[in-house]
Amino acid sequence: MKNNPKLLLYILMLSTLGINTPLSIIGIISQISEYFHTTIAISGLYVSSFTFTIAVTGLFIPLLFSKFERKKTFVSILSVFAISNIVIIFTKSIYVASLFRILSAVVYPAFISIALTFCEEIAPIDQKQDYITKILLGISVGSIVGLPITTGLGTIFGYQVAMAWIFLINFLTLILILIFFPKVPGKSKSYEMPLSSIKSKEFILATIGIIMMPIGASIVYNYVPYFLQTVCHIYTYKLSIFLFAYGVISIFGTWLGGKLIFKKDKETLIIFQVVCASVFLALYLFTDYLIIVLVLILIFGVLDGMGYNLIQYIEASVLPDSPELANGVFLSVLNGGIAIGIAIGGFLVDGFGVMSIFIGGVIFLILAFALMLYVILVLKINLKYQIH
């Protein structure tokens, strides 16, 4: 390829960061409620509509876009984001804003899936997982770094300014792709749905097993701020600083996950569930010791960041001949698991108190461990980097 693969990689990394910033508006729910003159519950649905839509469309949208020329695909999707964000900034109707937020989410899986597939295609043979990890880092950084920026802008200047920042970063990446990206043909035809693969015992059990991981992590992650406030009595700027530190260390976790997957894939997939469950159990047992709690949460941050690589790797392994579908399923599993985890966590907090989130997380991670053990050691699925 005439173009520098590293340049294309970093443009796509920045682009995935940009289209993940809409996830960061979870920090300005109260400003959304105030701007649209609606309830917190309705504002929460507006925020979560993005994740729920991705969970559904990730299963088929990447396949529909796989045959199209890559540059046109990226430009078209980023244009949808830009136009949607303009409407979202200026509309006074939360229903119109929700419609355009959902429209962005519909095409989101195609961008991420094709970016992952394309970067693996252009990567040197010994750097394929490294290229994939950088795209996953873009996803991670977009939501993690975007959260304090969006929250800060929304809190100080209001909802419209926060949304304007999201528009600007998406528009910048659109310009970069227009200027620097080459024309890259898509597949000669769209992939047909590989029914034999998705009906296989290996795919079904691996996917059920791996979705338990984001469910378990999400039960805890999304209620950690509430836990720190109500149990550990950490508030205001101290809470913000600690959550930012959590976000930074989880970015390191995403990088570390890629390295471990490439070197020790089988061991990483199995041991991860045990380590994460042990951290949750320790958080439950050592609640009265603040320093221990903070250290454990930061360890969980590393594990949380690693999860992106593990989920993507499992799906790529069980669907080796359909990379766009595998990456689409990865997005559905990730976002569906997060949405389910949020719902379960809310039920646990309301019904049994905030400490129950750790037990809930442990239960789902034990299920994930059992299924991963079965599909890897009994069914012996062909892991992508496994040496036969």
Side-chain angles (χ1 to χ4, degrees):
M1 178 172 284
K2 295 179 182 178
N3 298 82
N4 184 345
K6 286 281 187 183
L7 175 64
L8 302 183
L9 168 65
Y10 286 116
I11 290 173
L12 285 178
M13 183 180 175
L14 183 61
S15 300
T16 56
L17 185 157
I19 68 170
N20 269 275
T21 50
L23 292 168
S24 65
I25 69 170
I26 191 170
I28 57 168
I29 287 181
S30 60
Q31 285 76 26
I32 292 169
S33 178
E34 180 181 344
Y35 179 80
F36 288 113
H37 305 291
T38 189
T39 64
I40 292 293
I42 295 296
S43 299
L45 288 174
Y46 168 63
V47 171
S48 62
S49 63
F50 196 83
T51 304
F52 278 112
T53 303
I54 294 170
V56 175
T57 58
L59 296 173
F60 59 90
I61 287 295
L63 295 179
L64 298 179
F65 278 83
S66 63
K67 69 178 179 180
F68 299 116
E69 194 269 316
R70 302 288 175 76
K71 181 175 182 176
K72 288 181 180 177
T73 297
F74 292 143
V75 168
S76 299
I77 292 171
L78 289 174
S79 297
V80 169
F81 269 78
I83 294 167
S84 297
N85 285 329
I86 290 173
V87 174
I88 287 169
I89 290 170
F90 293 106
T91 184
K92 287 288 186 179
S93 169
I94 196 168
Y95 301 106
V96 173
S98 296
L99 175 64
F100 279 88
R101 185 166 168 81
I102 289 170
L103 177 62
S104 299
V106 167
V107 294
Y108 169 99
F111 191 100
I112 299 295
S113 174
I114 294 171
L116 284 165
T117 303
F118 175 70
C119 282
E120 187 172 10
E121 290 171 354
I122 65 172
I125 190 69
D126 61 338
Q127 297 181 40
K128 291 187 180 295
Q129 187 60 38
D130 185 52
Y131 273 52
I132 290 171
T133 297
K134 284 187 168 61
I135 298 299
L136 298 177
L137 277 171
I139 298 173
S140 178
V141 172
S143 53
I144 291 166
V145 176
L147 179 60
I149 295 174
T150 304
T151 302
L153 289 173
T155 303
I156 299 169
F157 301 107
Y159 167 79
Q160 285 183 303
V161 172
M163 299 310 296
W165 126 260
I166 292 174
F167 163 76
L168 286 173
I169 191 167
N170 279 282
F171 187 70
L172 170 64
T173 57
L174 171 60
I175 298 301
L176 287 174
I177 286 183
L178 278 170
I179 294 173
F180 294 107
F181 223 81
K183 289 187 175 181
V184 181
K187 304 296 179 182
S188 58
K189 63 177 182 177
S190 294
Y191 283 116
E192 294 181 0
M193 190 68 77
L195 294 178
S196 59
S197 295
I198 63 177
K199 289 193 297 184
S200 69
K201 181 191 294 185
E202 289 81 2
F203 171 78
I204 293 170
L205 291 178
T207 301
I208 292 173
I210 207 69
I211 199 175
M212 297 296 171
M213 191 177 74
I215 291 174
S218 183
I219 288 172
V220 174
Y221 168 75
N222 286 282
Y223 297 94
V224 159
Y226 183 70
F227 164 75
L228 291 172
Q229 289 173 323
T230 57
V231 177
C232 301
H233 307 294
I234 299 175
Y235 306 100
T236 59
Y237 73 93
K238 291 181 181 178
L239 178 62
S240 298
I241 291 171
F242 181 74
L243 291 177
F244 183 76
Y246 176 97
V248 171
I249 206 164
S250 70
I251 294 169
F252 166 74
T254 302
W255 172 85
L256 179 63
K259 296 296 182 184
L260 291 175
I261 280 288
F262 185 72
K263 292 181 178 180
K264 295 284 184 180
D265 52 2
K266 185 189 300 184
E267 294 85 349
T268 302
L269 286 163
I270 294 172
I271 294 172
F272 174 89
Q273 325 296 337
V274 178
V275 174
C276 197
S278 299
V279 169
F280 290 169
L281 187 59
L283 280 165
Y284 183 83
L285 296 174
F286 295 100
T287 306
D288 295 332
Y289 303 93
L290 180 60
I291 299 300
I292 294 176
V293 165
L294 297 180
V295 170
L296 287 169
I297 290 175
L298 290 178
I299 293 172
F300 170 50
V302 175
L303 297 169
D304 193 25
M306 288 176 61
Y308 290 93
N309 278 285
L310 272 62
I311 299 169
Q312 193 275 340
Y313 183 73
I314 277 289
E315 297 302 343
S317 294
V318 292
L319 292 171
D321 299 322
S322 304
E324 276 89 357
L325 177 60
N327 291 323
V329 174
F330 151 65
L331 292 170
S332 292
V333 166
L334 176 64
N335 288 279
I338 290 171
I340 294 169
I342 291 172
I344 294 173
F347 169 77
L348 290 172
V349 171
D350 285 343
F352 304 97
V354 70
M355 294 303 298
S356 65
I357 61 174
F358 300 117
I359 301 303
V362 168
I363 290 170
F364 278 95
L365 286 167
I366 289 172
L367 291 172
F369 169 72
L371 284 166
M372 284 296 100
L373 207 63
Y374 182 74
V375 298
I376 292 172
L377 298 185
V378 179
L379 295 182
K380 299 185 184 300
I381 61 170
N382 293 319
L383 295 173
K384 196 171 170 185
Y385 298 129
Q386 192 171 329
I387 299 173
H388 300 284

